[in-house]
Amino acid sequence: MKEILVTEPQLFSNFSCIGNACKEHCCSHWKIVFDKKTVSRYLNSDNIEVRNIASSAIEVTKQNINNWGYVKLDQKTGACPFLSSSNLCTVHSNLGAKALSTTCSTYPRQTRYYQNERQHTLNLSCPQVSKLLIIDPNAMSFKQQSQLQSKFYDAPVIDFSAKLVQLLCLNILNSGLGRVEEQLYVIVKLSMLVEKMSVIKDENVHKVMEYYEQLVSDLSNGQVTLELNNLRVRNDIKANLISAVYGYFKASTSVRGRAVLSHYLQGLSEYCEFQNNSQIFSPEKVLFVDLYWEKYCKPWFNENDSVLRNIVSYKFWQSEYPQKNGRNILSNLYLIVAEYYFLKVLFAIGAHQAKGLNNEIIVDVLYSFHSLSQHSPVASENFHRMIAAINLNDDLSLIHLLK
């Protein structure tokens, strides 16, 4: 027997689908692909209701075993035809959970496999996941357990260097020391050292740990706060990011989450006065965002200090930072910080619209943002490619987004 390590955040352990109580159902406005077995099961089902719906609702494409067909959504409502009038799945109701396709039975859950480890995570495009992330201060605390199975997974061996760096970053974020921006600044400095090493060999582990301890000390004694306070403000960098992300979402073809996100994007356009509706954000208008943040958001987050920490910790876990994906470590960190900054912008706009911040605004921003940026590997890669294109080969410009 082989020993497998299973790692998951409390967020994953606590999640369960709330069905028709969900504020934006996952069975609407998203293309749902079925594998060959599922297509056959529904088209030939003994249950008349399921079979009748399947005969008109499934477009058989036979692209490959895992993509044998897809569901034709209702042209008026965008809903899956298997969704009943009470917003419950007809397949689930008549045939049980085991009859669901892989997509339907797993979303928003995701699993990463390594040779002797399995990691669990969730997609924030689900409103309930976003809600659990912000209401539970311990949502991003982790638990590990060992399981025995007959053989290891047919998957890569986990990278020790990457796992160590991710662990140190999560420890910094959960240290309780400093603001999230200061913690991210510390992670930038740690990442710069790691990037120079390329691979953390045994003889370098001590060096990394020694520097990590020094950085935590600097975070504790106020040195990091001083350094950030002395950093020159670059509102042009912030403005360029806001313009690019705003333009990306305005042009996105995704439907689910769009109406909710558009409410905040429209607020951004109105309150910060895009020039002639050209989607060009003036650096001077960053002051509006800063004003809304200081007035409405900062006091709220001071009282709910786990929320931003959980959001950023989720990003480090979800992205497998500092993952090897063709980008260097600082480029991957830039992507995390850029997303974090734009989320803060939307929080500030939402708070200004409502004259106060609350959980509902946070959840709406989180799930709608990730519905358009994270719902599929292609969407995620396109979004990250857009962000990477605006940093002008200067990954360290991310520091200015922490001011």
Side-chain angles (χ1 to χ4, degrees):
M1 298 296 286
K2 306 298 182 181
E3 185 176 22
I4 302 294
L5 182 66
V6 182
T7 306
E8 63 188 35
Q10 185 163 303
L11 174 69
F12 186 91
S13 308
N14 291 346
F15 173 77
S16 61
C17 178
I18 58 174
N20 58 0
C22 188
K23 66 190 307 175
E24 186 158 8
H25 215 290
C26 58
C27 299
S28 297
H29 301 300
W30 269 353
K31 183 177 180 180
I32 304 169
V33 175
F34 289 158
D35 56 31
K36 183 177 181 179
K37 183 178 180 180
T38 300
V39 170
S40 177
R41 178 191 292 127
Y42 296 172
L43 289 176
N44 301 294
S45 176
D46 292 334
N47 183 276
I48 297 177
E49 184 179 17
V50 171
R51 188 172 68 248
N52 286 344
I53 294 174
S55 63
S56 60
I58 297 178
E59 182 72 28
V60 180
T61 59
K62 300 183 180 180
Q63 291 189 26
N64 55 62
I65 296 297
N66 295 319
N67 186 355
W68 202 252
Y70 67 88
V71 177
K72 294 183 288 186
L73 302 179
D74 186 283
Q75 293 185 349
K76 292 182 179 180
T77 66
C80 172
F82 288 104
L83 200 63
S84 70
S85 58
S86 57
N87 274 343
L88 293 174
C89 178
T90 302
V91 172
H92 190 285
S93 300
N94 289 288
L95 305 180
K98 291 184 178 180
L100 294 175
S101 69
T102 300
T103 300
C104 298
S105 62
T106 58
Y107 177 84
R109 303 170 185 85
Q110 297 175 337
T111 302
R112 301 191 289 255
Y113 293 96
Y114 296 96
Q115 189 178 84
N116 63 339
E117 185 168 342
R118 189 172 77 243
Q119 298 179 347
H120 296 154
T121 187
L122 292 160
N123 196 309
L124 282 185
S125 57
C126 169
Q128 182 64 7
V129 175
S130 291
K131 180 180 179 180
L132 291 176
L133 182 68
I134 71 166
I135 65 173
D136 180 6
N138 298 311
M140 289 308 297
S141 61
F142 291 85
K143 69 176 185 180
Q144 292 185 322
Q145 59 179 343
S146 295
Q147 292 184 354
L148 294 178
Q149 58 187 48
S150 60
K151 59 182 180 178
F152 290 129
Y153 294 115
D154 183 16
V157 177
I158 197 163
D159 186 309
F160 169 76
S161 297
K163 189 171 184 177
L164 175 61
V165 173
Q166 184 186 67
L167 178 61
L168 295 180
C169 291
L170 290 172
N171 284 348
I172 290 170
L173 290 166
N174 288 282
S175 65
L177 301 173
R179 298 179 295 115
V180 170
E181 289 75 13
E182 294 168 348
Q183 294 170 339
L184 285 169
Y185 181 74
V186 164
I187 290 174
V188 171
K189 300 179 93 174
L190 178 65
S191 298
M192 290 173 66
L193 173 66
V194 173
E195 187 166 271
K196 290 178 181 178
M197 294 179 175
S198 182
V199 176
I200 304 176
K201 298 179 179 179
D202 291 345
E203 60 268 25
N204 289 329
V205 171
H206 176 72
K207 184 177 181 180
V208 171
M209 294 305 300
E210 191 174 66
Y211 190 50
Y212 161 78
E213 290 172 2
Q214 178 60 53
L215 290 172
V216 171
S217 177
D218 291 344
L219 191 58
S220 177
N221 63 28
Q223 177 62 31
V224 172
T225 304
L226 183 63
E227 290 183 26
L228 264 183
N229 288 343
N230 289 334
L231 187 69
R232 181 168 66 93
V233 176
R234 288 285 304 274
N235 284 340
D236 58 320
I237 292 176
K238 295 179 179 180
N240 287 340
L241 176 67
I242 293 173
S243 298
V245 179
Y246 175 89
Y248 177 86
F249 283 134
K250 290 291 286 186
S252 174
T253 58
S254 179
V255 178
R256 185 177 180 273
R258 166 168 288 285
V260 175
L261 187 63
S262 292
H263 169 71
Y264 299 100
L265 294 177
Q266 183 62 31
L268 180 61
S269 177
E270 291 175 357
Y271 294 118
C272 299
E273 301 175 6
F274 278 113
Q275 298 170 1
N276 300 320
N277 200 32
S278 64
Q279 298 181 3
I280 302 300
F281 192 75
S282 167
E284 290 75 21
K285 298 304 180 182
V286 172
L287 297 176
F288 279 81
V289 176
D290 291 342
L291 177 64
Y292 303 154
W293 179 267
E294 291 292 323
K295 183 176 181 179
Y296 298 112
C297 298
K298 191 173 181 179
W300 192 90
F301 282 117
N302 283 342
E303 293 185 5
N304 302 271
D305 61 351
S306 65
V307 175
L308 291 178
R309 182 191 73 225
N310 279 351
I311 292 172
V312 177
S313 294
Y314 169 87
K315 285 295 181 183
F316 276 85
W317 175 248
Q318 178 71 16
S319 69
E320 298 183 85
Y321 183 81
Q323 72 277 25
K324 293 183 177 180
N325 52 10
R327 304 185 187 100
N328 61 41
I329 293 176
L330 287 176
S331 293
N332 285 322
L333 183 55
Y334 180 94
L335 297 177
I336 291 175
V337 173
E339 285 192 47
Y340 171 65
Y341 176 73
F342 194 77
L343 286 172
K344 287 177 61 180
V345 169
L346 295 182
F347 293 155
I349 293 299
H352 180 63
Q353 290 173 316
K355 303 306 177 187
L357 192 61
N358 54 55
N359 283 349
E360 184 175 1
I361 292 173
I362 303 293
V363 170
D364 279 351
V365 168
L366 281 179
Y367 95 81
S368 63
F369 176 92
H370 289 90
S371 290
L372 274 69
S373 67
Q374 191 197 50
H375 76 277
S376 74
V378 173
S380 181
E381 179 57 30
N382 288 341
F383 180 67
H384 287 158
R385 188 182 296 115
M386 176 276 299
I387 292 180
I390 65 173
N391 74 348
L392 302 177
N393 295 317
D394 181 14
D395 295 323
L396 281 177
S397 64
L398 67 88
I399 292 177
H400 297 281
L401 301 177
L402 302 177
K403 283 287 287 184

